[in-house]
Amino acid sequence: MGSDFKQLLASIDKDQLAKIIDRQTAQSCGLTLDEYEALMAYNKSLQEEGALYLGKPVCEWPALVFNWDYSQAGQHFAMDGVTAQAMLEMYPNGLRLGHMPLREFDQNLARYCRRDSEKELWSLGSDWRLAQVIAHLRRGMPMTPPLVIRVKDEAFFSGGNHRYAAAKAVGLAVIPFYVNEDDVAEIEEILNVTWGQPR
């Protein structure tokens, strides 16, 4: 690296550089800088709180509130980390909301996605992500239902493994989920879905 470039790097204000990077990241996510900074602060608070629950047995979890978000605006959260614009491009015909008893759904869920024991809650998937989901649900914040696809003759999560894991762990009776509108007939062949919001 040339000395001129090193001098240039040394002269850049680190906070100003961080702000520029944050602004670019926010723009790529379709957010304003203020929205992006608020989201980052919220995520940091989830990480801090989630650390309290990491690896804990379900009996030591706080009370969880499943405040499912069925809004159109929230649908892109069905897949972790996907922007609203990217979701529109992937699913131009939209998503359809359905639900069914969690136990019945579980019988048709691919083994890769399923959590069959309390040990698997923390050993499969991302333990820190599950801890953050617990923290989010403890606060009663809106949570978008998972996105389900069909792989061969089984249901598979395209997003929402940890939301499902938390719901199953606390004995939620009904699981809502989204499917690609174009895949409704395929899903109906393997799942006994009731379309629309749970009552």
Side-chain angles (χ1 to χ4, degrees), residues 75-119:
Q75 286 185 359
H76 72 282
F77 292 114
M79 290 181 68
D80 303 323
V82 174
T83 66
Q85 183 58 41
M87 197 71 165
L88 282 172
E89 291 168 10
M90 290 188 295
Y91 301 102
N93 292 324
L95 301 178
R96 185 181 294 193
L97 178 66
H99 64 277
M100 62 188 294
L102 196 146
R103 283 188 181 181
E104 186 182 336
F105 175 81
D106 214 42
Q107 293 168 2
N108 296 286
L109 186 60
R111 178 66 189 106
Y112 176 84
C113 297
R114 220 170 45 241
R115 304 294 185 265
D116 287 334
S117 68
E118 193 161 310
K119 180 182 174 190

mmCIF file of all heavy atoms in Angstrom, residues 75-119:
data_model
loop_
_atom_site.group_PDB
_atom_site.id
_atom_site.type_symbol
_atom_site.label_atom_id
_atom_site.label_comp_id
_atom_site.label_asym_id
_atom_site.label_seq_id
_atom_site.Cartn_x
_atom_site.Cartn_y
_atom_site.Cartn_z
ATOM 1 N N GLN A 75 -44.375 -8.366 5.059
ATOM 2 C CA GLN A 75 -44.160 -9.676 4.452
ATOM 3 C C GLN A 75 -42.704 -9.979 4.116
ATOM 4 O O GLN A 75 -42.286 -11.125 4.183
ATOM 5 C CB GLN A 75 -45.016 -9.845 3.199
ATOM 6 C CG GLN A 75 -46.478 -10.065 3.510
ATOM 7 C CD GLN A 75 -47.298 -10.345 2.263
ATOM 8 O OE1 GLN A 75 -46.793 -10.364 1.148
ATOM 9 N NE2 GLN A 75 -48.582 -10.552 2.447
ATOM 10 N N HIS A 76 -41.925 -8.943 3.779
ATOM 11 C CA HIS A 76 -40.539 -9.234 3.402
ATOM 12 C C HIS A 76 -39.717 -9.760 4.584
ATOM 13 O O HIS A 76 -38.685 -10.392 4.390
ATOM 14 C CB HIS A 76 -39.862 -8.022 2.743
ATOM 15 C CG HIS A 76 -39.545 -6.901 3.672
ATOM 16 N ND1 HIS A 76 -40.497 -6.007 4.106
ATOM 17 C CD2 HIS A 76 -38.385 -6.530 4.246
ATOM 18 C CE1 HIS A 76 -39.927 -5.126 4.903
ATOM 19 N NE2 HIS A 76 -38.643 -5.420 5.010
ATOM 20 N N PHE A 77 -40.209 -9.567 5.816
ATOM 21 C CA PHE A 77 -39.515 -10.108 6.977
ATOM 22 C C PHE A 77 -39.722 -11.622 7.112
ATOM 23 O O PHE A 77 -39.083 -12.249 7.952
ATOM 24 C CB PHE A 77 -39.981 -9.408 8.260
ATOM 25 C CG PHE A 77 -39.553 -7.974 8.343
ATOM 26 C CD1 PHE A 77 -40.491 -6.954 8.308
ATOM 27 C CD2 PHE A 77 -38.214 -7.629 8.443
ATOM 28 C CE1 PHE A 77 -40.112 -5.624 8.389
ATOM 29 C CE2 PHE A 77 -37.812 -6.308 8.522
ATOM 30 C CZ PHE A 77 -38.764 -5.301 8.487
ATOM 31 N N ALA A 78 -40.602 -12.191 6.293
ATOM 32 C CA ALA A 78 -40.786 -13.649 6.322
ATOM 33 C C ALA A 78 -39.476 -14.353 5.995
ATOM 34 O O ALA A 78 -39.186 -15.435 6.505
ATOM 35 C CB ALA A 78 -41.880 -14.070 5.343
ATOM 36 N N MET A 79 -38.691 -13.734 5.130
ATOM 37 C CA MET A 79 -37.344 -14.229 4.821
ATOM 38 C C MET A 79 -36.352 -13.288 5.498
ATOM 39 O O MET A 79 -36.385 -12.094 5.283
ATOM 40 C CB MET A 79 -37.092 -14.240 3.313
ATOM 41 C CG MET A 79 -37.883 -15.276 2.587
ATOM 42 S SD MET A 79 -37.536 -15.266 0.823
ATOM 43 C CE MET A 79 -35.840 -15.836 0.781
ATOM 44 N N ASP A 80 -35.495 -13.840 6.315
ATOM 45 C CA ASP A 80 -34.546 -13.017 7.068
ATOM 46 C C ASP A 80 -33.638 -12.220 6.139
ATOM 47 O O ASP A 80 -33.012 -12.771 5.246
ATOM 48 C CB ASP A 80 -33.683 -13.908 7.972
ATOM 49 C CG ASP A 80 -34.526 -14.742 8.926
ATOM 50 O OD1 ASP A 80 -35.538 -14.223 9.404
ATOM 51 O OD2 ASP A 80 -34.164 -15.905 9.183
ATOM 52 N N GLY A 81 -33.588 -10.913 6.382
ATOM 53 C CA GLY A 81 -32.624 -10.064 5.696
ATOM 54 C C GLY A 81 -32.929 -9.707 4.258
ATOM 55 O O GLY A 81 -32.053 -9.259 3.534
ATOM 56 N N VAL A 82 -34.158 -9.882 3.822
ATOM 57 C CA VAL A 82 -34.529 -9.563 2.442
ATOM 58 C C VAL A 82 -35.276 -8.233 2.424
ATOM 59 O O VAL A 82 -36.188 -8.021 3.221
ATOM 60 C CB VAL A 82 -35.395 -10.691 1.828
ATOM 61 C CG1 VAL A 82 -35.897 -10.315 0.453
ATOM 62 C CG2 VAL A 82 -34.610 -11.989 1.761
ATOM 63 N N THR A 83 -34.886 -7.351 1.531
ATOM 64 C CA THR A 83 -35.566 -6.057 1.439
ATOM 65 C C THR A 83 -36.943 -6.216 0.809
ATOM 66 O O THR A 83 -37.219 -7.213 0.123
ATOM 67 C CB THR A 83 -34.749 -5.061 0.590
ATOM 68 O OG1 THR A 83 -34.702 -5.534 -0.757
ATOM 69 C CG2 THR A 83 -33.337 -4.883 1.140
ATOM 70 N N ALA A 84 -37.784 -5.228 1.013
ATOM 71 C CA ALA A 84 -39.130 -5.245 0.426
ATOM 72 C C ALA A 84 -39.049 -5.308 -1.099
ATOM 73 O O ALA A 84 -39.818 -6.043 -1.744
ATOM 74 C CB ALA A 84 -39.913 -4.022 0.872
ATOM 75 N N GLN A 85 -38.116 -4.568 -1.691
ATOM 76 C CA GLN A 85 -37.958 -4.566 -3.152
ATOM 77 C C GLN A 85 -37.531 -5.935 -3.660
ATOM 78 O O GLN A 85 -38.060 -6.437 -4.645
ATOM 79 C CB GLN A 85 -36.940 -3.488 -3.585
ATOM 80 C CG GLN A 85 -36.781 -3.370 -5.092
ATOM 81 C CD GLN A 85 -38.081 -3.053 -5.824
ATOM 82 O OE1 GLN A 85 -38.880 -2.240 -5.371
ATOM 83 N NE2 GLN A 85 -38.313 -3.694 -6.951
ATOM 84 N N ALA A 86 -36.577 -6.557 -2.977
ATOM 85 C CA ALA A 86 -36.109 -7.888 -3.384
ATOM 86 C C ALA A 86 -37.236 -8.914 -3.282
ATOM 87 O O ALA A 86 -37.372 -9.792 -4.135
ATOM 88 C CB ALA A 86 -34.916 -8.321 -2.536
ATOM 89 N N MET A 87 -38.070 -8.768 -2.241
ATOM 90 C CA MET A 87 -39.200 -9.691 -2.059
ATOM 91 C C MET A 87 -40.186 -9.557 -3.214
ATOM 92 O O MET A 87 -40.689 -10.566 -3.726
ATOM 93 C CB MET A 87 -39.880 -9.381 -0.723
ATOM 94 C CG MET A 87 -40.767 -10.475 -0.230
ATOM 95 S SD MET A 87 -39.814 -11.896 0.326
ATOM 96 C CE MET A 87 -41.055 -12.759 1.237
ATOM 97 N N LEU A 88 -40.454 -8.327 -3.640
ATOM 98 C CA LEU A 88 -41.356 -8.105 -4.777
ATOM 99 C C LEU A 88 -40.803 -8.733 -6.050
ATOM 100 O O LEU A 88 -41.557 -9.282 -6.862
ATOM 101 C CB LEU A 88 -41.564 -6.606 -5.001
ATOM 102 C CG LEU A 88 -42.526 -5.903 -4.053
ATOM 103 C CD1 LEU A 88 -42.471 -4.395 -4.265
ATOM 104 C CD2 LEU A 88 -43.945 -6.416 -4.244
ATOM 105 N N GLU A 89 -39.504 -8.652 -6.213
ATOM 106 C CA GLU A 89 -38.880 -9.240 -7.400
ATOM 107 C C GLU A 89 -38.923 -10.761 -7.361
ATOM 108 O O GLU A 89 -39.134 -11.411 -8.381
ATOM 109 C CB GLU A 89 -37.434 -8.744 -7.526
ATOM 110 C CG GLU A 89 -37.353 -7.265 -7.885
ATOM 111 C CD GLU A 89 -35.953 -6.683 -7.743
ATOM 112 O OE1 GLU A 89 -34.984 -7.455 -7.554
ATOM 113 O OE2 GLU A 89 -35.828 -5.436 -7.808
ATOM 114 N N MET A 90 -38.735 -11.346 -6.180
ATOM 115 C CA MET A 90 -38.754 -12.813 -6.048
ATOM 116 C C MET A 90 -40.168 -13.382 -6.140
ATOM 117 O O MET A 90 -40.364 -14.480 -6.639
ATOM 118 C CB MET A 90 -38.117 -13.240 -4.723
ATOM 119 C CG MET A 90 -36.628 -13.033 -4.676
ATOM 120 S SD MET A 90 -35.844 -13.735 -3.202
ATOM 121 C CE MET A 90 -36.537 -12.748 -1.910
ATOM 122 N N TYR A 91 -41.141 -12.620 -5.605
ATOM 123 C CA TYR A 91 -42.524 -13.091 -5.557
ATOM 124 C C TYR A 91 -43.450 -12.040 -6.165
ATOM 125 O O TYR A 91 -44.225 -11.392 -5.449
ATOM 126 C CB TYR A 91 -42.927 -13.401 -4.111
ATOM 127 C CG TYR A 91 -42.054 -14.457 -3.479
ATOM 128 C CD1 TYR A 91 -41.035 -14.115 -2.594
ATOM 129 C CD2 TYR A 91 -42.226 -15.798 -3.788
ATOM 130 C CE1 TYR A 91 -40.220 -15.077 -2.031
ATOM 131 C CE2 TYR A 91 -41.418 -16.770 -3.238
ATOM 132 C CZ TYR A 91 -40.417 -16.405 -2.356
ATOM 133 O OH TYR A 91 -39.610 -17.366 -1.799
ATOM 134 N N PRO A 92 -43.402 -11.862 -7.477
ATOM 135 C CA PRO A 92 -44.191 -10.795 -8.112
ATOM 136 C C PRO A 92 -45.701 -10.957 -7.931
ATOM 137 O O PRO A 92 -46.434 -9.972 -7.958
ATOM 138 C CB PRO A 92 -43.784 -10.875 -9.588
ATOM 139 C CG PRO A 92 -43.208 -12.240 -9.771
ATOM 140 C CD PRO A 92 -42.618 -12.629 -8.446
ATOM 141 N N ASN A 93 -46.170 -12.178 -7.738
ATOM 142 C CA ASN A 93 -47.606 -12.400 -7.532
ATOM 143 C C ASN A 93 -47.983 -12.403 -6.056
ATOM 144 O O ASN A 93 -49.131 -12.670 -5.709
ATOM 145 C CB ASN A 93 -48.050 -13.697 -8.207
ATOM 146 C CG ASN A 93 -47.960 -13.581 -9.717
ATOM 147 O OD1 ASN A 93 -48.223 -12.519 -10.284
ATOM 148 N ND2 ASN A 93 -47.559 -14.651 -10.376
ATOM 149 N N GLY A 94 -47.013 -12.147 -5.194
ATOM 150 C CA GLY A 94 -47.280 -12.020 -3.765
ATOM 151 C C GLY A 94 -47.265 -13.331 -3.006
ATOM 152 O O GLY A 94 -46.972 -14.399 -3.550
ATOM 153 N N LEU A 95 -47.606 -13.210 -1.743
ATOM 154 C CA LEU A 95 -47.647 -14.353 -0.832
ATOM 155 C C LEU A 95 -49.073 -14.564 -0.354
ATOM 156 O O LEU A 95 -49.859 -13.622 -0.292
ATOM 157 C CB LEU A 95 -46.748 -14.092 0.382
ATOM 158 C CG LEU A 95 -45.278 -13.819 0.113
ATOM 159 C CD1 LEU A 95 -44.542 -13.533 1.421
ATOM 160 C CD2 LEU A 95 -44.621 -14.982 -0.615
ATOM 161 N N ARG A 96 -49.380 -15.806 -0.004
ATOM 162 C CA ARG A 96 -50.692 -16.107 0.569
ATOM 163 C C ARG A 96 -50.488 -16.590 2.003
ATOM 164 O O ARG A 96 -49.624 -17.413 2.272
ATOM 165 C CB ARG A 96 -51.420 -17.177 -0.234
ATOM 166 C CG ARG A 96 -52.848 -17.377 0.313
ATOM 167 C CD ARG A 96 -53.640 -18.419 -0.390
ATOM 168 N NE ARG A 96 -53.941 -18.072 -1.771
ATOM 169 C CZ ARG A 96 -54.848 -18.728 -2.501
ATOM 170 N NH1 ARG A 96 -55.534 -19.729 -1.971
ATOM 171 N NH2 ARG A 96 -55.052 -18.389 -3.756
ATOM 172 N N LEU A 97 -51.311 -16.086 2.905
ATOM 173 C CA LEU A 97 -51.251 -16.464 4.307
ATOM 174 C C LEU A 97 -52.132 -17.671 4.563
ATOM 175 O O LEU A 97 -53.273 -17.729 4.109
ATOM 176 C CB LEU A 97 -51.719 -15.288 5.181
ATOM 177 C CG LEU A 97 -51.762 -15.544 6.682
ATOM 178 C CD1 LEU A 97 -50.354 -15.754 7.242
ATOM 179 C CD2 LEU A 97 -52.460 -14.382 7.387
ATOM 180 N N GLY A 98 -51.600 -18.616 5.290
ATOM 181 C CA GLY A 98 -52.356 -19.786 5.713
ATOM 182 C C GLY A 98 -51.988 -20.146 7.139
ATOM 183 O O GLY A 98 -51.089 -19.552 7.733
ATOM 184 N N HIS A 99 -52.676 -21.128 7.676
ATOM 185 C CA HIS A 99 -52.348 -21.606 9.013
ATOM 186 C C HIS A 99 -52.864 -23.024 9.185
ATOM 187 O O HIS A 99 -53.710 -23.498 8.414
ATOM 188 C CB HIS A 99 -52.958 -20.687 10.087
ATOM 189 C CG HIS A 99 -54.451 -20.669 10.088
ATOM 190 N ND1 HIS A 99 -55.181 -19.880 9.233
ATOM 191 C CD2 HIS A 99 -55.357 -21.348 10.823
ATOM 192 C CE1 HIS A 99 -56.472 -20.059 9.460
ATOM 193 N NE2 HIS A 99 -56.604 -20.956 10.418
ATOM 194 N N MET A 100 -52.341 -23.701 10.185
ATOM 195 C CA MET A 100 -52.805 -25.037 10.527
ATOM 196 C C MET A 100 -52.307 -25.403 11.921
ATOM 197 O O MET A 100 -51.406 -24.723 12.450
ATOM 198 C CB MET A 100 -52.367 -26.059 9.472
ATOM 199 C CG MET A 100 -50.890 -26.232 9.285
ATOM 200 S SD MET A 100 -50.483 -27.283 7.847
ATOM 201 C CE MET A 100 -51.130 -28.876 8.366
ATOM 202 N N PRO A 101 -52.874 -26.451 12.521
ATOM 203 C CA PRO A 101 -52.379 -26.872 13.826
ATOM 204 C C PRO A 101 -50.879 -27.186 13.736
ATOM 205 O O PRO A 101 -50.437 -27.869 12.806
ATOM 206 C CB PRO A 101 -53.192 -28.127 14.132
ATOM 207 C CG PRO A 101 -54.443 -27.965 13.324
ATOM 208 C CD PRO A 101 -54.014 -27.259 12.076
ATOM 209 N N LEU A 102 -50.117 -26.683 14.700
ATOM 210 C CA LEU A 102 -48.667 -26.843 14.645
ATOM 211 C C LEU A 102 -48.262 -28.314 14.656
ATOM 212 O O LEU A 102 -47.355 -28.707 13.927
ATOM 213 C CB LEU A 102 -48.007 -26.082 15.795
ATOM 214 C CG LEU A 102 -46.512 -25.863 15.621
ATOM 215 C CD1 LEU A 102 -46.098 -24.530 16.211
ATOM 216 C CD2 LEU A 102 -45.683 -26.965 16.221
ATOM 217 N N ARG A 103 -48.926 -29.119 15.456
ATOM 218 C CA ARG A 103 -48.562 -30.549 15.501
ATOM 219 C C ARG A 103 -48.749 -31.228 14.149
ATOM 220 O O ARG A 103 -47.932 -32.025 13.721
ATOM 221 C CB ARG A 103 -49.406 -31.275 16.553
ATOM 222 C CG ARG A 103 -48.951 -31.033 17.950
ATOM 223 C CD ARG A 103 -49.693 -31.911 18.915
ATOM 224 N NE ARG A 103 -49.256 -31.638 20.273
ATOM 225 C CZ ARG A 103 -49.705 -32.263 21.323
ATOM 226 N NH1 ARG A 103 -50.624 -33.209 21.194
ATOM 227 N NH2 ARG A 103 -49.264 -31.961 22.516
ATOM 228 N N GLU A 104 -49.827 -30.906 13.482
ATOM 229 C CA GLU A 104 -50.086 -31.479 12.152
ATOM 230 C C GLU A 104 -49.072 -30.963 11.138
ATOM 231 O O GLU A 104 -48.549 -31.722 10.313
ATOM 232 C CB GLU A 104 -51.507 -31.129 11.714
ATOM 233 C CG GLU A 104 -51.928 -31.785 10.420
ATOM 234 C CD GLU A 104 -53.333 -31.365 10.000
ATOM 235 O OE1 GLU A 104 -54.134 -30.961 10.862
ATOM 236 O OE2 GLU A 104 -53.606 -31.435 8.779
ATOM 237 N N PHE A 105 -48.789 -29.665 11.217
ATOM 238 C CA PHE A 105 -47.783 -29.069 10.336
ATOM 239 C C PHE A 105 -46.436 -29.757 10.532
ATOM 240 O O PHE A 105 -45.734 -30.080 9.568
ATOM 241 C CB PHE A 105 -47.674 -27.569 10.638
ATOM 242 C CG PHE A 105 -46.588 -26.876 9.882
ATOM 243 C CD1 PHE A 105 -46.784 -26.478 8.568
ATOM 244 C CD2 PHE A 105 -45.353 -26.630 10.470
ATOM 245 C CE1 PHE A 105 -45.778 -25.843 7.852
ATOM 246 C CE2 PHE A 105 -44.349 -25.998 9.779
ATOM 247 C CZ PHE A 105 -44.557 -25.602 8.461
ATOM 248 N N ASP A 106 -46.093 -30.001 11.772
ATOM 249 C CA ASP A 106 -44.810 -30.601 12.139
ATOM 250 C C ASP A 106 -44.614 -31.982 11.495
ATOM 251 O O ASP A 106 -43.501 -32.355 11.136
ATOM 252 C CB ASP A 106 -44.755 -30.736 13.662
ATOM 253 C CG ASP A 106 -43.364 -30.542 14.197
ATOM 254 O OD1 ASP A 106 -42.657 -29.637 13.723
ATOM 255 O OD2 ASP A 106 -42.975 -31.300 15.095
ATOM 256 N N GLN A 107 -45.697 -32.728 11.338
ATOM 257 C CA GLN A 107 -45.617 -34.070 10.754
ATOM 258 C C GLN A 107 -45.227 -34.037 9.279
ATOM 259 O O GLN A 107 -44.739 -35.021 8.746
ATOM 260 C CB GLN A 107 -46.956 -34.797 10.919
ATOM 261 C CG GLN A 107 -47.298 -35.102 12.350
ATOM 262 C CD GLN A 107 -48.735 -35.561 12.523
ATOM 263 O OE1 GLN A 107 -49.485 -35.696 11.555
ATOM 264 N NE2 GLN A 107 -49.136 -35.785 13.756
ATOM 265 N N ASN A 108 -45.449 -32.894 8.626
ATOM 266 C CA ASN A 108 -45.137 -32.758 7.207
ATOM 267 C C ASN A 108 -43.915 -31.883 6.949
ATOM 268 O O ASN A 108 -43.612 -31.571 5.810
ATOM 269 C CB ASN A 108 -46.340 -32.166 6.466
ATOM 270 C CG ASN A 108 -47.540 -33.082 6.515
ATOM 271 O OD1 ASN A 108 -47.580 -34.086 5.852
ATOM 272 N ND2 ASN A 108 -48.506 -32.737 7.353
ATOM 273 N N LEU A 109 -43.240 -31.507 8.020
ATOM 274 C CA LEU A 109 -42.082 -30.629 7.922
ATOM 275 C C LEU A 109 -40.822 -31.469 7.712
ATOM 276 O O LEU A 109 -40.630 -32.496 8.372
ATOM 277 C CB LEU A 109 -41.956 -29.797 9.198
ATOM 278 C CG LEU A 109 -40.885 -28.726 9.235
ATOM 279 C CD1 LEU A 109 -41.086 -27.687 8.137
ATOM 280 C CD2 LEU A 109 -40.879 -28.039 10.605
ATOM 281 N N ALA A 110 -39.968 -31.023 6.800
ATOM 282 C CA ALA A 110 -38.717 -31.741 6.527
ATOM 283 C C ALA A 110 -37.895 -31.869 7.805
ATOM 284 O O ALA A 110 -37.858 -30.956 8.629
ATOM 285 C CB ALA A 110 -37.913 -30.987 5.465
ATOM 286 N N ARG A 111 -37.248 -33.005 7.969
ATOM 287 C CA ARG A 111 -36.449 -33.253 9.176
ATOM 288 C C ARG A 111 -35.399 -32.167 9.375
ATOM 289 O O ARG A 111 -35.094 -31.779 10.501
ATOM 290 C CB ARG A 111 -35.776 -34.637 9.077
ATOM 291 C CG ARG A 111 -34.879 -34.955 10.259
ATOM 292 C CD ARG A 111 -35.708 -35.079 11.549
ATOM 293 N NE ARG A 111 -34.873 -35.181 12.718
ATOM 294 C CZ ARG A 111 -34.681 -34.197 13.606
ATOM 295 N NH1 ARG A 111 -35.259 -33.034 13.448
ATOM 296 N NH2 ARG A 111 -33.927 -34.381 14.658
ATOM 297 N N TYR A 112 -34.854 -31.661 8.297
ATOM 298 C CA TYR A 112 -33.841 -30.613 8.366
ATOM 299 C C TYR A 112 -34.343 -29.384 9.116
ATOM 300 O O TYR A 112 -33.576 -28.714 9.810
ATOM 301 C CB TYR A 112 -33.420 -30.225 6.945
ATOM 302 C CG TYR A 112 -32.446 -29.077 6.880
ATOM 303 C CD1 TYR A 112 -31.081 -29.298 7.031
ATOM 304 C CD2 TYR A 112 -32.885 -27.775 6.680
ATOM 305 C CE1 TYR A 112 -30.176 -28.244 6.987
ATOM 306 C CE2 TYR A 112 -31.998 -26.715 6.635
ATOM 307 C CZ TYR A 112 -30.649 -26.951 6.785
ATOM 308 O OH TYR A 112 -29.775 -25.916 6.747
ATOM 309 N N CYS A 113 -35.625 -29.096 9.001
ATOM 310 C CA CYS A 113 -36.209 -27.899 9.615
ATOM 311 C C CYS A 113 -36.804 -28.150 10.996
ATOM 312 O O CYS A 113 -36.986 -27.211 11.764
ATOM 313 C CB CYS A 113 -37.319 -27.345 8.722
ATOM 314 S SG CYS A 113 -36.764 -26.796 7.100
ATOM 315 N N ARG A 114 -37.135 -29.384 11.281
ATOM 316 C CA ARG A 114 -37.882 -29.710 12.495
ATOM 317 C C ARG A 114 -37.002 -29.659 13.746
ATOM 318 O O ARG A 114 -35.810 -29.927 13.682
ATOM 319 C CB ARG A 114 -38.484 -31.115 12.353
ATOM 320 C CG ARG A 114 -39.851 -31.240 12.893
ATOM 321 C CD ARG A 114 -40.559 -32.538 12.548
ATOM 322 N NE ARG A 114 -39.748 -33.718 12.720
ATOM 323 C CZ ARG A 114 -39.441 -34.568 11.717
ATOM 324 N NH1 ARG A 114 -39.872 -34.347 10.495
ATOM 325 N NH2 ARG A 114 -38.713 -35.619 11.932
ATOM 326 N N ARG A 115 -37.602 -29.349 14.860
ATOM 327 C CA ARG A 115 -36.947 -29.415 16.162
ATOM 328 C C ARG A 115 -37.741 -30.412 16.991
ATOM 329 O O ARG A 115 -38.871 -30.127 17.379
ATOM 330 C CB ARG A 115 -36.935 -28.042 16.858
ATOM 331 C CG ARG A 115 -36.305 -26.928 16.056
ATOM 332 C CD ARG A 115 -34.803 -27.134 15.829
ATOM 333 N NE ARG A 115 -34.211 -25.997 15.163
ATOM 334 C CZ ARG A 115 -34.033 -25.910 13.844
ATOM 335 N NH1 ARG A 115 -34.431 -26.891 13.053
ATOM 336 N NH2 ARG A 115 -33.452 -24.854 13.313
ATOM 337 N N ASP A 116 -37.154 -31.593 17.219
ATOM 338 C CA ASP A 116 -37.889 -32.666 17.886
ATOM 339 C C ASP A 116 -37.609 -32.803 19.376
ATOM 340 O O ASP A 116 -38.231 -33.610 20.045
ATOM 341 C CB ASP A 116 -37.608 -34.001 17.197
ATOM 342 C CG ASP A 116 -38.309 -34.108 15.853
ATOM 343 O OD1 ASP A 116 -39.341 -33.450 15.665
ATOM 344 O OD2 ASP A 116 -37.822 -34.848 14.983
ATOM 345 N N SER A 117 -36.647 -32.055 19.884
ATOM 346 C CA SER A 117 -36.350 -32.130 21.316
ATOM 347 C C SER A 117 -35.847 -30.773 21.791
ATOM 348 O O SER A 117 -35.457 -29.928 20.986
ATOM 349 C CB SER A 117 -35.284 -33.193 21.590
ATOM 350 O OG SER A 117 -34.032 -32.778 21.056
ATOM 351 N N GLU A 118 -35.837 -30.603 23.103
ATOM 352 C CA GLU A 118 -35.344 -29.338 23.642
ATOM 353 C C GLU A 118 -33.863 -29.153 23.315
ATOM 354 O O GLU A 118 -33.410 -28.043 23.050
ATOM 355 C CB GLU A 118 -35.576 -29.285 25.149
ATOM 356 C CG GLU A 118 -35.368 -27.897 25.693
ATOM 357 C CD GLU A 118 -36.008 -27.690 27.053
ATOM 358 O OE1 GLU A 118 -37.189 -28.020 27.226
ATOM 359 O OE2 GLU A 118 -35.302 -27.163 27.927
ATOM 360 N N LYS A 119 -33.127 -30.242 23.274
ATOM 361 C CA LYS A 119 -31.693 -30.157 22.941
ATOM 362 C C LYS A 119 -31.506 -29.588 21.529
ATOM 363 O O LYS A 119 -30.602 -28.793 21.268
ATOM 364 C CB LYS A 119 -31.046 -31.533 23.058
ATOM 365 C CG LYS A 119 -29.571 -31.536 22.740
ATOM 366 C CD LYS A 119 -28.986 -32.922 22.809
ATOM 367 C CE LYS A 119 -27.536 -32.878 22.340
ATOM 368 N NZ LYS A 119 -26.977 -34.204 22.160
#
